[in-house]
Amino acid sequence: MHSDGSYRSGPDGWHLTEDVGEFLGHAGEFLRSRPALHTTPLSVTEKLRVLGTAAYGGRTPVLGWLERAGEVRAAFHRLLPAGLSVTSLTPEEAEELTAHLRALGHTLPSVTADEPTALAFAEAWRRHTGALSTVRVRLRLHRLGTLIPPEPFPAGRGRLAGAAEHHRLMRWCREFAADVAEDVVIDAASWAGTRFAEKQYTFWETPDGTPVSMAGVNPIVGGQARIDPVYTPAHLRGRGYAAAVTTEVGRAALAAGATEVVLYTNAANPTSNALYRRLGYRPLTDVLVHDFAYPEET
């Protein structure tokens, strides 16, 4: 480990650092070269750059990039003690990263990556550690092609959520998190440290001014904007409100300069996948979260 908190394995190979500025200086161009595919690392590292580790509850970041002949080929991020999130790797690159992380003493609870990468890394990790992996969830990353507004469009309008509506916003984010089995505490004390805090939120309201659905969008980074979350309370679903508010935030992101608008769905949810396809979103890749269980834990 170097005095600046970084680890290097030579000119070619994996380079690790805790310094987001150093990481972006090397890997930023690579991440921006495919902004839709790299939506998550772009957003995570931008939040670290702007707000520091306090934005993630003071957790230590471990950031890495793979270099070959002066060219960055892959990158990852990890916020200790959480799992690894990594861009596309070949099986050989997954093996090299596994060996490098093990040499540095890392033990991973999970890995998140596109399907071929997740499978290759999980297999390499099993060989090195004996860990068994199970798929926690399969996410589907979608990219907006041509926006297709819903027909019929429900009565009402979209508007930005106001500061006075923060309690409703937190309640709906809690309900959304419960719906997708996300283990997170969302209240006034914890809000700033959650992944929900940095987003801009839009409500869809009925003609009488009652909010009935919401959509959040991450700040534009590298030309991409990610819509997340989209939520309608259970008793108000099936009326087109989610489609309407998603259309509104997509239009707003494009008007604000986004060149790519993306969103994730649970690949096992036919309702949401069909909804976004009707609105003009097209599947880009499937992302798997593999959880690891170690022999001593079984």
Side-chain angles (χ1 to χ4, degrees):
M1 180 173 179
H2 293 246
S3 60
D4 62 357
S6 64
Y7 304 84
R8 297 181 181 85
S9 58
D12 276 1
W14 284 96
H15 304 257
L16 276 66
T17 184
E18 298 173 6
D19 185 329
V20 69
E22 181 186 19
F23 172 78
L24 291 173
H26 289 275
E29 183 177 349
F30 163 75
L31 294 178
R32 292 189 297 270
S33 70
R34 305 183 77 180
L37 276 176
H38 298 156
T39 175
T40 298
L42 282 167
S43 295
V44 168
T45 54
E46 177 68 4
K47 188 173 179 179
L48 275 172
R49 186 189 70 81
V50 174
L51 300 175
T53 58
Y56 291 101
R59 288 182 289 171
T60 300
V62 180
L63 310 165
W65 66 95
L66 174 63
E67 196 165 318
R68 289 278 187 266
E71 179 184 357
V72 174
R73 302 285 298 274
F76 75 80
H77 66 271
R78 184 183 183 198
L79 295 161
L80 297 174
L84 184 79
S85 181
V86 62
T87 64
S88 293
L89 302 175
T90 66
E92 294 75 20
E93 291 166 348
E95 171 68 27
E96 185 179 359
L97 177 57
T98 294
H100 195 60
L101 292 175
R102 289 301 292 161
L104 295 172
H106 284 256
T107 298
L108 298 175
S110 64
V111 64
T112 302
D114 65 78
E115 183 170 6
T117 298
L119 292 171
F121 187 91
E123 174 57 23
W125 197 252
R126 181 197 63 78
R127 289 195 305 271
H128 281 259
T129 68
L132 300 178
S133 67
T134 56
V135 176
R136 184 198 317 168
V137 66
R138 177 189 295 269
L139 303 173
R140 186 154 292 153
L141 178 61
H142 304 256
R143 175 170 56 192
L144 180 62
T146 300
L147 185 62
I148 306 169
E151 286 291 344
F153 211 86
R157 70 182 185 108
R159 63 166 178 82
L160 293 179
E165 298 167 300
H166 192 56
H167 286 289
R168 182 196 300 274
L169 184 61
M170 287 193 299
R171 184 176 76 251
W172 282 5
C173 286
R174 279 195 300 271
E175 292 170 3
F176 168 83
D179 278 359
V180 299
E182 188 170 337
D183 184 14
V184 62
V185 175
I186 301 173
D187 56 27
S190 64
W191 175 258
T194 71
R195 70 177 187 84
F196 298 95
E198 76 271 22
K199 306 170 191 291
Q200 182 179 75
Y201 289 89
T202 295
F203 285 144
W204 185 263
E205 65 178 19
T206 55
D208 67 1
T210 303
V212 290
S213 188
M214 74 166 186
V217 64
N218 284 55
I220 298 172
V221 186
Q224 62 78 36
R226 186 171 71 257
I227 297 174
D228 170 63
V230 178
Y231 178 74
T232 305
H235 68 285
L236 295 169
R237 293 172 189 170
R239 308 181 193 187
Y241 299 144
V245 75
T246 302
T247 298
E248 288 295 296
V249 296
R251 283 172 172 163
L254 293 170
T259 56
E260 301 273 16
V261 180
V262 299
L263 53 81
Y264 285 106
T265 62
N266 186 321
N269 186 329
T271 301
S272 61
N273 283 281
L275 165 64
Y276 297 123
R277 179 170 285 278
R278 290 196 301 271
L279 297 180
Y281 288 84
R282 298 294 178 258
L284 186 58
T285 191
D286 277 12
V287 173
L288 271 58
V289 182
H290 277 255
D291 288 329
F292 295 125
Y294 295 88
E296 64 271 19
E297 298 174 355
T298 59

